[in-house]
Coordinates of all heavy atoms in Angstrom, one line a residue:
M1 N -12.2 9.9 34.4 CA -11.0 9.9 33.6 C -11.5 9.9 32.2 O -12.3 9.1 31.8 CB -10.1 8.7 33.8 CG -9.0 8.7 32.9 SD -7.6 7.6 33.0 CE -7.8 6.2 34.0
P2 N -11.1 10.8 31.3 CA -11.6 10.9 29.8 C -11.0 9.6 29.0 O -9.9 9.3 29.2 CB -11.0 12.1 29.3 CG -10.0 12.7 30.2 CD -10.2 12.0 31.6
T3 N -11.9 9.1 28.2 CA -11.5 8.0 27.4 C -11.2 8.4 26.0 O -10.5 7.6 25.4 CB -12.8 7.0 27.3 OG1 -13.9 7.6 26.7 CG2 -13.1 6.5 28.8
A4 N -11.6 9.5 25.5 CA -11.2 9.8 24.2 C -11.3 11.5 24.1 O -12.0 12.1 24.8 CB -12.2 9.3 23.1
I5 N -10.6 11.9 23.0 CA -10.5 13.4 22.7 C -11.7 13.5 21.8 O -11.9 12.8 20.8 CB -9.3 13.8 22.1 CG1 -8.2 13.6 23.1 CG2 -9.4 15.2 21.7 CD1 -6.7 13.8 22.5
R6 N -12.5 14.5 22.1 CA -13.7 14.8 21.3 C -13.8 16.2 21.0 O -13.3 17.1 21.6 CB -15.0 14.5 22.0 CG -15.1 13.0 22.4 CD -16.4 12.6 23.0 NE -16.2 11.1 23.4 CZ -16.9 10.7 24.4 NH1 -17.6 11.3 25.1 NH2 -16.7 9.3 24.6
G7 N -14.5 16.4 19.7 CA -14.7 17.8 19.4 C -16.0 18.4 19.9 O -16.7 17.8 20.7
T8 N -16.4 19.5 19.4 CA -17.7 20.1 19.8 C -18.8 19.2 19.2 O -18.5 18.4 18.4 CB -17.9 21.6 19.3 OG1 -17.9 21.5 18.0 CG2 -16.7 22.3 19.9
H9 N -20.0 19.5 19.6 CA -21.1 18.7 19.1 C -21.4 19.0 17.7 O -21.8 18.3 16.9 CB -22.5 19.1 19.9 CG -22.3 18.5 21.3 ND1 -22.4 17.2 21.5 CD2 -22.2 19.1 22.5 CE1 -22.3 16.9 22.8 NE2 -22.2 18.1 23.4
D10 N -21.0 20.3 17.2 CA -21.3 20.7 15.9 C -20.1 20.1 15.0 O -20.4 19.8 13.8 CB -21.2 22.2 15.6 CG -22.4 22.9 16.5 OD1 -23.4 22.2 16.6 OD2 -22.1 24.0 17.0
Q11 N -18.9 20.1 15.5 CA -17.8 19.6 14.6 C -17.2 18.3 15.4 O -16.4 18.5 16.3 CB -16.7 20.8 14.7 CG -17.2 22.1 14.0 CD -17.0 21.9 12.6 OE1 -16.2 21.3 11.9 NE2 -17.7 22.8 11.8
P12 N -17.4 17.2 14.9 CA -16.8 16.0 15.4 C -15.3 16.1 15.1 O -14.8 16.6 14.3 CB -17.5 14.9 14.8 CG -18.1 15.4 13.6 CD -18.2 16.9 13.7
Y13 N -14.6 15.3 16.0 CA -13.1 15.2 16.0 C -12.8 14.5 14.6 O -13.3 13.5 14.4 CB -12.6 14.6 17.1 CG -11.1 14.6 17.3 CD1 -10.5 15.8 17.8 CD2 -10.2 13.7 16.9 CE1 -9.2 16.0 17.8 CE2 -8.9 13.7 17.0 CZ -8.4 15.0 17.5 OH -7.0 15.1 17.5
P14 N -12.0 15.1 13.7 CA -11.6 14.5 12.5 C -10.8 13.2 12.7 O -10.1 13.1 13.6 CB -10.9 15.5 11.7 CG -10.4 16.3 12.8 CD -11.3 16.4 13.9
T15 N -11.0 12.2 12.0 CA -10.3 10.9 12.0 C -9.7 10.7 10.6 O -10.3 11.0 9.5 CB -11.3 9.8 12.4 OG1 -12.2 9.6 11.3 CG2 -11.8 10.0 13.7
M16 N -8.5 9.9 10.7 CA -7.9 9.6 9.3 C -8.4 8.4 8.8 O -8.8 7.5 9.6 CB -6.4 9.3 9.5 CG -5.6 10.5 9.7 SD -3.9 10.1 9.6 CE -3.6 9.6 8.1
T17 N -8.9 8.4 7.5 CA -9.2 7.1 6.8 C -8.2 6.8 5.7 O -7.3 7.5 5.4 CB -10.6 7.4 6.1 OG1 -10.5 8.3 5.1 CG2 -11.6 7.8 7.2
T18 N -8.3 5.7 5.2 CA -7.4 5.2 4.1 C -7.6 6.0 3.0 O -6.8 6.1 2.0 CB -7.5 3.7 3.8 OG1 -9.0 3.4 3.6 CG2 -7.2 2.9 5.1
D19 N -8.9 6.7 2.7 CA -9.1 7.4 1.5 C -8.1 8.7 1.6 O -7.8 9.2 0.4 CB -10.5 7.9 1.5 CG -11.6 6.8 1.4 OD1 -11.1 5.7 0.9 OD2 -12.7 6.9 1.9
T20 N -7.8 9.2 2.6 CA -6.8 10.4 2.6 C -5.4 10.0 2.6 O -4.6 10.9 2.5 CB -7.2 11.3 3.7 OG1 -6.9 10.6 5.0 CG2 -8.6 11.8 3.8
A21 N -5.0 8.8 2.9 CA -3.6 8.4 2.9 C -3.0 8.4 1.5 O -3.7 7.8 0.5 CB -3.5 7.1 3.5
R22 N -1.9 9.0 1.4 CA -1.2 9.1 0.1 C 0.2 8.5 0.2 O 0.9 8.7 1.1 CB -0.9 10.4 -0.5 CG -2.3 11.2 -0.8 CD -2.2 12.5 -1.2 NE -1.6 12.5 -2.6 CZ -1.3 13.6 -3.2 NH1 -1.8 14.7 -2.9 NH2 -0.7 13.5 -4.4
P23 N 0.7 7.8 -0.8 CA 2.0 7.2 -0.7 C 3.0 8.3 -0.9 O 2.8 9.5 -1.4 CB 2.2 6.3 -1.9 CG 1.2 6.8 -2.9 CD 0.0 7.3 -2.0
L24 N 4.2 8.2 -0.3 CA 5.4 9.2 -0.5 C 5.8 9.3 -1.9 O 6.3 10.3 -2.3 CB 6.5 8.9 0.5 CG 6.0 9.1 2.1 CD1 7.3 8.6 2.8 CD2 5.6 10.4 2.4
A25 N 5.7 8.2 -2.6 CA 6.4 8.1 -3.9 C 5.7 7.1 -4.8 O 5.1 6.2 -4.2 CB 7.9 8.0 -3.9
L26 N 5.7 7.3 -6.0 CA 5.0 6.4 -7.0 C 6.0 5.9 -8.0 O 6.9 6.7 -8.5 CB 3.9 7.0 -7.7 CG 2.9 7.6 -7.0 CD1 1.9 8.5 -7.7 CD2 1.9 6.5 -6.3
R27 N 6.0 4.5 -8.3 CA 6.8 4.1 -9.5 C 6.2 4.6 -10.8 O 4.9 5.0 -10.9 CB 6.7 2.5 -9.5 CG 7.2 2.0 -8.2 CD 8.6 1.6 -8.4 NE 9.2 1.0 -7.2 CZ 10.3 0.3 -7.2 NH1 10.9 0.1 -8.3 NH2 10.5 -0.3 -6.2
P28 N 7.0 4.6 -11.9 CA 6.4 5.1 -13.2 C 5.1 4.5 -13.6 O 4.1 5.3 -14.1 CB 7.5 4.8 -14.1 CG 8.7 4.7 -13.4 CD 8.3 4.2 -12.0
R29 N 4.9 3.2 -13.5 CA 3.6 2.7 -13.9 C 2.4 3.3 -13.1 O 1.3 3.6 -13.6 CB 3.7 1.2 -13.6 CG 2.2 0.5 -14.1 CD 2.4 -1.1 -14.1 NE 3.3 -1.4 -15.0 CZ 3.8 -2.6 -15.2 NH1 3.6 -3.5 -14.3 NH2 4.7 -2.8 -16.2
E30 N 2.6 3.4 -11.8 CA 1.6 4.0 -10.8 C 1.4 5.5 -11.2 O 0.2 5.9 -11.2 CB 2.0 3.8 -9.4 CG 2.2 2.4 -8.9 CD 2.9 2.4 -7.6 OE1 3.8 3.2 -7.4 OE2 2.6 1.5 -6.8
A31 N 2.4 6.1 -11.3 CA 2.2 7.6 -11.7 C 1.6 7.9 -13.1 O 0.7 8.8 -13.2 CB 3.7 8.3 -11.8
A32 N 1.9 7.0 -14.1 CA 1.3 7.2 -15.4 C -0.2 6.8 -15.3 O -1.2 7.5 -15.9 CB 2.0 6.2 -16.5
R33 N -0.5 5.8 -14.4 CA -1.8 5.5 -14.3 C -2.8 6.5 -13.6 O -3.8 6.8 -14.1 CB -2.1 4.1 -13.5 CG -3.4 3.6 -13.5 CD -3.4 2.2 -12.7 NE -2.8 1.2 -13.5 CZ -2.0 0.3 -12.9 NH1 -1.8 0.3 -11.5 NH2 -1.2 -0.5 -13.6
L34 N -2.1 7.2 -12.6 CA -2.6 8.2 -11.8 C -3.0 9.4 -12.8 O -4.0 10.1 -12.8 CB -1.8 8.7 -10.8 CG -2.3 9.7 -9.8 CD1 -3.5 9.4 -9.1 CD2 -1.2 10.3 -9.1
L35 N -2.0 9.7 -13.9 CA -2.2 10.8 -14.7 C -2.9 10.4 -15.9 O -3.4 11.3 -16.7 CB -0.9 11.3 -15.3 CG 0.1 11.8 -14.1 CD1 1.3 12.2 -14.7 CD2 -0.6 13.3 -13.5
N36 N -3.5 9.2 -16.1 CA -4.2 8.5 -17.2 C -3.3 8.9 -18.6 O -3.9 9.2 -19.5 CB -5.5 9.3 -17.2 CG -6.5 8.3 -18.1 OD1 -6.3 7.1 -18.2 ND2 -7.6 9.0 -18.7
I37 N -2.0 8.6 -18.6 CA -1.3 8.7 -19.7 C -0.4 7.4 -19.8 O -0.3 6.6 -18.8 CB -0.3 10.0 -19.8 CG1 0.6 9.9 -18.5 CG2 -1.2 11.2 -19.8 CD1 1.6 11.0 -18.6
S38 N 0.3 7.2 -20.8 CA 1.0 6.0 -21.0 C 2.4 6.2 -20.2 O 2.8 7.4 -20.1 CB 1.3 5.6 -22.5 OG 2.1 6.6 -23.0
E39 N 3.0 5.1 -19.9 CA 4.4 5.2 -19.4 C 5.4 5.9 -20.2 O 6.2 6.7 -19.9 CB 5.0 3.8 -18.9 CG 4.3 3.3 -17.7 CD 4.8 1.9 -17.3 OE1 6.0 1.9 -16.9 OE2 4.1 0.9 -17.5
R40 N 5.2 5.6 -21.6 CA 6.1 6.3 -22.6 C 5.9 7.8 -22.6 O 6.9 8.6 -22.5 CB 5.8 5.8 -23.9 CG 6.7 6.5 -25.0 CD 6.5 5.9 -26.4 NE 7.3 4.7 -26.3 CZ 7.6 3.9 -27.5 NH1 6.8 4.1 -28.5 NH2 8.5 3.0 -27.5
K41 N 4.6 8.3 -22.5 CA 4.4 9.7 -22.4 C 4.9 10.4 -21.1 O 5.5 11.4 -21.1 CB 2.8 10.0 -22.5 CG 2.4 11.4 -22.5 CD 3.0 12.1 -23.9 CE 2.5 13.5 -23.8 NZ 3.1 14.2 -25.0
L42 N 4.7 9.6 -20.1 CA 5.3 10.1 -18.7 C 6.8 10.1 -18.9 O 7.3 11.3 -18.4 CB 4.9 9.1 -17.7 CG 5.5 9.5 -16.2 CD1 5.1 10.8 -15.7 CD2 5.2 8.4 -15.3
W43 N 7.5 9.2 -19.5 CA 8.9 9.4 -19.6 C 9.3 10.5 -20.5 O 10.3 11.2 -20.1 CB 9.4 8.0 -20.3 CG 10.7 7.5 -20.0 CD1 11.7 7.3 -21.1 CD2 11.3 7.3 -18.8 NE1 12.8 7.0 -20.3 CE2 12.6 6.9 -18.9 CE3 10.9 7.4 -17.5 CZ2 13.5 6.5 -18.1 CZ3 11.7 7.0 -16.5 CH2 13.0 6.5 -16.6
S44 N 8.6 10.9 -21.4 CA 8.9 12.1 -22.3 C 8.7 13.3 -21.6 O 9.3 14.4 -21.8 CB 8.2 12.0 -23.5 OG 6.9 12.2 -23.4
L45 N 7.8 13.4 -20.6 CA 7.4 14.6 -19.8 C 8.4 14.7 -18.5 O 8.3 15.7 -18.0 CB 6.0 14.5 -19.3 CG 5.0 14.7 -20.5 CD1 3.6 14.3 -19.9 CD2 5.0 16.0 -21.1
S46 N 9.2 13.6 -18.2 CA 9.8 13.6 -17.1 C 11.3 14.3 -17.3 O 11.8 14.3 -18.3 CB 10.1 12.1 -16.6 OG 8.9 11.6 -16.3
Q47 N 11.7 14.8 -16.1 CA 13.1 15.4 -16.3 C 14.2 14.4 -16.5 O 14.0 13.3 -15.9 CB 13.4 16.2 -15.0 CG 12.6 17.5 -14.8 CD 12.8 18.2 -13.5 OE1 13.6 17.8 -12.5 NE2 12.3 19.4 -13.3
P48 N 15.2 14.6 -17.3 CA 15.6 15.9 -17.8 C 15.1 16.2 -19.2 O 15.3 17.4 -19.7 CB 17.2 15.7 -17.9 CG 17.3 14.2 -18.2 CD 16.2 13.7 -17.5
R49 N 14.3 15.3 -19.7 CA 13.6 15.7 -21.1 C 12.5 16.7 -21.0 O 12.2 17.5 -21.8 CB 13.2 14.4 -21.7 CG 14.3 13.4 -22.1 CD 13.7 12.0 -22.4 NE 13.0 11.4 -21.2 CZ 13.7 10.9 -20.2 NH1 15.0 10.8 -20.3 NH2 13.1 10.3 -19.2
G50 N 11.7 16.5 -19.9 CA 10.5 17.3 -19.7 C 10.5 18.0 -18.5 O 11.6 18.4 -17.9
V51 N 9.3 18.5 -17.9 CA 9.2 19.3 -16.8 C 8.8 18.6 -15.5 O 8.8 19.2 -14.4 CB 8.1 20.4 -17.2 CG1 8.6 21.4 -18.3 CG2 6.9 19.8 -17.5
I52 N 8.4 17.4 -15.6 CA 7.9 16.8 -14.4 C 9.0 16.2 -13.5 O 9.9 15.4 -14.1 CB 7.0 15.5 -14.6 CG1 5.7 16.0 -15.3 CG2 6.6 14.8 -13.4 CD1 4.7 14.9 -15.8
P53 N 9.3 16.6 -12.3 CA 10.4 16.1 -11.5 C 10.3 14.7 -11.2 O 9.3 14.3 -10.9 CB 10.4 17.0 -10.3 CG 9.3 18.1 -10.4 CD 8.6 17.6 -11.7
C54 N 11.4 14.0 -11.0 CA 11.4 12.6 -10.7 C 12.8 12.4 -9.9 O 13.7 13.1 -10.1 CB 11.3 11.7 -11.8 SG 12.4 11.6 -13.0
K55 N 12.8 11.5 -9.0 CA 14.0 11.1 -8.3 C 14.5 9.7 -8.9 O 13.8 8.8 -9.1 CB 13.7 10.9 -6.9 CG 13.0 11.9 -6.0 CD 14.1 13.1 -6.1 CE 13.4 14.2 -5.2 NZ 14.1 15.5 -5.3
R56 N 15.9 9.7 -9.2 CA 16.5 8.6 -9.8 C 17.6 8.1 -8.9 O 18.4 9.0 -8.4 CB 17.0 8.8 -11.1 CG 16.0 9.3 -12.2 CD 16.7 9.8 -13.5 NE 15.8 10.5 -14.2 CZ 15.0 10.0 -15.2 NH1 15.3 8.7 -15.5 NH2 14.2 10.7 -15.8
D57 N 17.6 6.8 -8.5 CA 18.7 6.2 -7.8 C 19.0 4.9 -8.3 O 18.2 3.9 -8.2 CB 18.2 6.1 -6.3 CG 19.4 5.6 -5.4 OD1 20.5 5.8 -5.8 OD2 19.1 5.2 -4.3
G58 N 20.1 4.8 -9.1 CA 20.4 3.5 -9.8 C 19.3 3.3 -10.9 O 19.0 4.1 -11.7
G59 N 18.7 2.1 -10.8 CA 17.6 1.8 -11.8 C 16.2 2.2 -11.3 O 15.2 1.8 -11.9
V60 N 16.1 2.7 -10.1 CA 14.8 3.1 -9.6 C 14.3 4.5 -10.0 O 15.3 5.5 -9.7 CB 14.8 2.9 -8.1 CG1 13.4 3.3 -7.5 CG2 15.1 1.5 -7.8
V61 N 13.2 4.7 -10.4 CA 12.7 6.1 -10.6 C 11.4 6.2 -9.8 O 10.5 5.3 -9.9 CB 12.3 6.3 -12.2 CG1 11.7 7.7 -12.5 CG2 13.5 6.1 -13.0
L62 N 11.3 7.3 -9.1 CA 10.1 7.6 -8.3 C 9.6 9.0 -8.6 O 10.4 9.9 -8.8 CB 10.6 7.5 -6.9 CG 11.0 6.0 -6.4 CD1 11.6 6.2 -4.9 CD2 9.9 5.1 -6.5
Y63 N 8.3 9.1 -8.4 CA 7.6 10.4 -8.6 C 6.8 10.8 -7.3 O 6.2 9.9 -6.9 CB 6.6 10.3 -9.7 CG 7.2 10.1 -11.1 CD1 7.4 8.8 -11.5 CD2 7.5 11.2 -11.9 CE1 8.1 8.5 -12.8 CE2 8.1 10.9 -13.2 CZ 8.3 9.5 -13.5 OH 9.0 9.5 -14.8
R64 N 7.0 12.0 -6.9 CA 6.3 12.4 -5.6 C 4.9 12.9 -6.1 O 4.7 13.6 -7.0 CB 7.0 13.6 -5.1 CG 8.3 13.2 -4.3 CD 8.9 14.3 -3.7 NE 8.0 15.1 -3.0 CZ 8.0 16.5 -2.8 NH1 9.0 17.2 -3.5 NH2 7.2 17.2 -2.3
P65 N 3.8 12.4 -5.5 CA 2.5 12.7 -5.8 C 2.3 14.4 -5.8 O 1.6 14.8 -6.7 CB 1.6 11.9 -4.8 CG 2.4 10.9 -4.4 CD 3.8 11.3 -4.4
D66 N 2.9 15.0 -4.8 CA 2.9 16.4 -4.8 C 3.4 17.1 -6.1 O 2.9 18.1 -6.6 CB 3.5 17.0 -3.5 CG 2.7 16.6 -2.3 OD1 1.5 16.2 -2.4 OD2 3.3 16.6 -1.3
D67 N 4.5 16.5 -6.7 CA 5.0 17.1 -7.9 C 4.0 16.8 -9.1 O 3.9 17.7 -9.9 CB 6.3 16.4 -8.2 CG 7.5 16.8 -7.2 OD1 7.4 17.9 -6.6 OD2 8.4 16.1 -7.0
L68 N 3.4 15.7 -9.1 CA 2.4 15.4 -10.3 C 1.2 16.4 -10.1 O 0.8 16.9 -11.0 CB 2.0 13.9 -10.1 CG 3.0 12.9 -10.2 CD1 2.6 11.5 -10.0 CD2 3.8 13.0 -11.6
D69 N 0.9 16.6 -8.8 CA -0.3 17.6 -8.7 C 0.1 19.0 -9.1 O -0.7 19.6 -9.8 CB -0.6 17.6 -7.2 CG -1.5 16.4 -6.8 OD1 -2.0 15.6 -7.6 OD2 -1.6 16.1 -5.5
A70 N 1.3 19.3 -8.8 CA 1.7 20.7 -9.1 C 1.9 20.8 -10.6 O 1.5 21.9 -11.2 CB 3.1 21.1 -8.5
W71 N 2.4 19.7 -11.4 CA 2.6 19.7 -12.7 C 1.0 19.9 -13.4 O 0.9 20.7 -14.2 CB 3.2 18.6 -13.3 CG 3.3 18.6 -14.7 CD1 3.9 19.3 -15.6 CD2 2.3 17.6 -15.6 NE1 3.7 19.0 -17.0 CE2 2.8 18.0 -16.9 CE3 1.5 16.7 -15.3 CZ2 2.0 17.4 -18.1 CZ3 0.8 16.1 -16.4 CH2 1.2 16.4 -17.8
L72 N 0.1 19.1 -12.9 CA -1.3 19.2 -13.5 C -1.9 20.5 -13.3 O -2.6 21.1 -14.1 CB -2.2 18.1 -12.7 CG -1.9 16.8 -13.1 CD1 -2.8 15.9 -12.2 CD2 -2.4 16.6 -14.5
R73 N -1.6 21.2 -12.2 CA -2.1 22.6 -11.8 C -1.4 23.7 -12.6 O -1.8 24.8 -12.6 CB -2.1 22.8 -10.4 CG -3.2 22.1 -9.7 CD -3.1 22.3 -8.2 NE -4.2 21.8 -7.5 CZ -4.4 20.5 -7.2 NH1 -3.4 19.6 -7.5 NH2 -5.5 20.1 -6.5
S74 N -0.2 23.4 -13.0 CA 0.6 24.5 -13.7 C 0.1 24.9 -15.2 O -0.6 24.0 -15.8 CB 2.0 24.1 -13.7 OG 2.3 23.1 -14.7
D75 N 0.7 25.9 -15.7 CA 0.4 26.3 -17.0 C 1.4 26.0 -18.0 O 1.6 26.5 -19.1 CB 0.1 27.8 -17.1 CG -1.2 28.1 -16.4 OD1 -2.0 27.5 -16.4 OD2 -1.3 29.3 -16.0
T76 N 2.4 25.1 -17.5 CA 3.6 24.7 -18.4 C 3.0 23.8 -19.3 O 2.5 22.9 -19.1 CB 4.6 24.0 -17.4 OG1 4.8 24.8 -16.3 CG2 5.9 23.6 -18.2
P77 N 3.4 24.1 -20.6 CA 3.0 23.2 -21.8 C 3.8 21.9 -21.7 O 4.9 21.7 -21.0 CB 3.3 24.0 -22.9 CG 4.4 25.0 -22.6 CD 4.1 25.3 -21.1
E78 N 3.3 20.8 -22.4 CA 4.0 19.6 -22.4 C 5.3 19.8 -23.2 O 5.5 20.6 -24.1 CB 3.0 18.6 -23.2 CG 1.9 18.1 -22.3 CD 1.1 17.1 -23.0 OE1 1.4 16.6 -24.1 OE2 0.1 16.8 -22.5
A79 N 6.1 18.8 -22.8 CA 7.5 18.8 -23.5 C 7.2 18.5 -25.0 O 6.5 17.6 -25.3 CB 8.4 17.8 -22.9
G80 N 7.7 19.3 -25.9 CA 7.6 19.1 -27.3 C 6.4 19.4 -28.0 O 6.1 19.3 -29.1
E81 N 5.5 20.1 -27.1 CA 4.2 20.6 -27.7 C 4.3 21.5 -28.8 O 5.2 22.4 -28.6 CB 3.3 21.2 -26.5 CG 2.0 21.5 -26.9 CD 1.1 22.1 -25.8 OE1 0.5 21.2 -25.0 OE2 1.1 23.3 -25.6
G82 N 3.7 21.4 -29.8 CA 3.8 22.4 -30.9 C 4.8 22.0 -32.0 O 4.8 22.5 -33.1
S83 N 5.7 21.0 -31.6 CA 6.7 20.8 -32.6 C 6.3 19.7 -33.5 O 7.0 19.4 -34.5 CB 8.1 20.4 -31.7 OG 7.8 19.1 -31.1
E84 N 5.4 19.0 -33.2 CA 4.8 17.9 -34.1 C 3.7 18.4 -35.1 O 2.8 19.0 -34.7 CB 4.3 16.6 -33.3 CG 5.2 16.0 -32.5 CD 4.8 15.0 -31.6 OE1 3.4 14.7 -31.6 OE2 5.4 14.3 -30.8
Q85 N 3.9 18.0 -36.4 CA 2.8 18.4 -37.2 C 2.6 17.4 -38.4 O 3.3 16.6 -38.6 CB 3.2 19.7 -38.0 CG 3.3 20.9 -37.0 CD 2.8 22.2 -37.4 OE1 2.3 22.3 -38.6 NE2 3.0 23.2 -36.7

């Protein structure tokens, strides 16, 4: 009787580690820390003022890590960019 599923000798069966686990949503403080910006800057970049999507329910604001990744990879300029001099 087999005791475990195994891959080939060249390719071991992949295992999940805590390094690859991602949360489903982040609070503003966690999202700002991840982006290495202040919470105030994140707030100005968040919808409806800016371009970063967030979910709001009552007093709770959440950011999906995939949305933050997509924003980082996009060519969308920051909200208000070029208007300050």
Side-chain angles (χ1 to χ4, degrees):
M1 176 169 19
T3 59
I5 298 174
R6 297 187 183 148
T8 65
H9 293 287
D10 298 328
Q11 300 274 338
Y13 193 78
T15 59
M16 279 188 71
T17 64
T18 56
D19 295 337
T20 60
R22 290 180 69 169
L24 294 176
L26 300 169
R27 300 267 182 161
R29 179 174 292 166
E30 298 164 325
R33 189 175 297 139
L34 181 71
L35 295 172
N36 200 27
I37 60 175
S38 69
E39 286 182 68
R40 177 176 272 184
K41 182 64 175 177
L42 176 62
W43 207 237
S44 71
L45 293 171
S46 300
Q47 290 178 349
R49 294 166 294 284
V51 296
I52 299 176
C54 62
K55 303 292 182 190
R56 300 171 194 266
D57 185 18
V60 177
V61 179
L62 297 172
Y63 296 87
R64 290 181 43 219
D66 292 340
D67 291 339
L68 299 176
D69 288 342
W71 175 74
L72 283 173
R73 287 178 170 76
S74 73
D75 292 332
T76 306
E78 292 182 0
E81 185 176 275
S83 62
E84 297 177 359
Q85 297 214 11

